[in-house]
Amino acid sequence: MTKEGLAALLDGRKYGDEISKQEAEDAKKDGLVVVFGASDDLMEFRGAIYDESNCYEGGTAYLNENGLLEECDNENCPHFKKLKEKAKKIEALWCAVKTKDSYISWTYRTDIPHSTFNVIEDKEIYCKGIVFNINDLK
């Protein structure tokens, strides 16, 4: 499956039912990563990366073809700084996009080639998730 195909399949899913276990396994086999928001503080990753990043009121996740980079407790850690410089990033934006009647809780900004899909809660767009190919992180 392609990122476009998977995004089309996921489009319109309800919050809490964004992707099934089988769909996540299929995405993993195809090298695809699905990103969506949960609650007010999490960026969820499913498929070729299975993880989450804390992003209360927004934040940035750094990743490479091996997955999310673990933050170093020491801000001046030279190893983490070096990895971070080469990493791709996804910025989680909290309530940054206004619709006609409200705000979309989660949207994402990244240079990684991706396709988007909508997650719905109470008949409103809760999240504009993304799907990308892990090979685009190399």
Side-chain angles (χ1 to χ4, degrees):
M1 181 173 293
T2 65
K3 64 182 179 283
E4 297 83 6
L6 183 53
L9 178 69
L10 300 176
D11 192 49
R13 297 282 176 92
K14 291 184 180 178
Y15 174 71
D17 292 320
E18 296 86 355
I19 186 169
S20 72
K21 199 176 235 186
Q22 185 59 56
E23 289 165 335
E25 284 298 315
D26 292 343
K28 182 178 180 178
K29 290 175 191 169
D30 291 334
L32 299 176
V33 180
V34 178
V35 180
F36 56 93
S39 187
D40 65 350
D41 63 346
L42 293 175
M43 185 181 339
E44 299 286 342
F45 294 81
R46 298 293 181 272
I49 297 174
Y50 188 99
D51 210 335
E52 64 185 24
S53 178
N54 187 346
C55 55
Y56 180 70
E57 293 187 357
T60 303
Y62 296 90
L63 53 160
N64 60 28
E65 66 273 8
N66 297 316
L68 288 177
L69 300 183
E70 293 293 324
E71 290 281 346
C72 188
D73 290 337
N74 177 356
E75 285 183 24
N76 298 315
C77 175
H79 177 68
F80 181 72
K81 279 186 170 184
K82 190 175 184 179
L83 287 174
K84 194 173 169 181
E85 288 172 5
K86 295 180 181 180
K88 300 286 185 175
K89 66 180 183 176
I90 299 174
E91 186 179 359
L93 306 169
W94 174 251
C95 293
V97 176
K98 185 164 178 36
T99 64
K100 181 180 171 189
D101 300 318
S102 64
Y103 285 89
I104 298 174
S105 294
W106 290 113
T107 54
Y108 301 94
R109 182 172 29 223
T110 184
D111 291 336
I112 302 166
H114 63 277
S115 291
T116 62
F117 65 97
N118 293 323
V119 176
I120 307 299
E121 182 179 46
D122 297 328
K123 299 181 183 177
E124 299 284 333
I125 300 173
Y126 167 77
C127 172
K128 193 165 276 295
I130 64 173
V131 180
F132 65 90
N133 192 302
I134 196 159
N135 291 322
D136 289 329
L137 299 179
K138 294 179 182 179

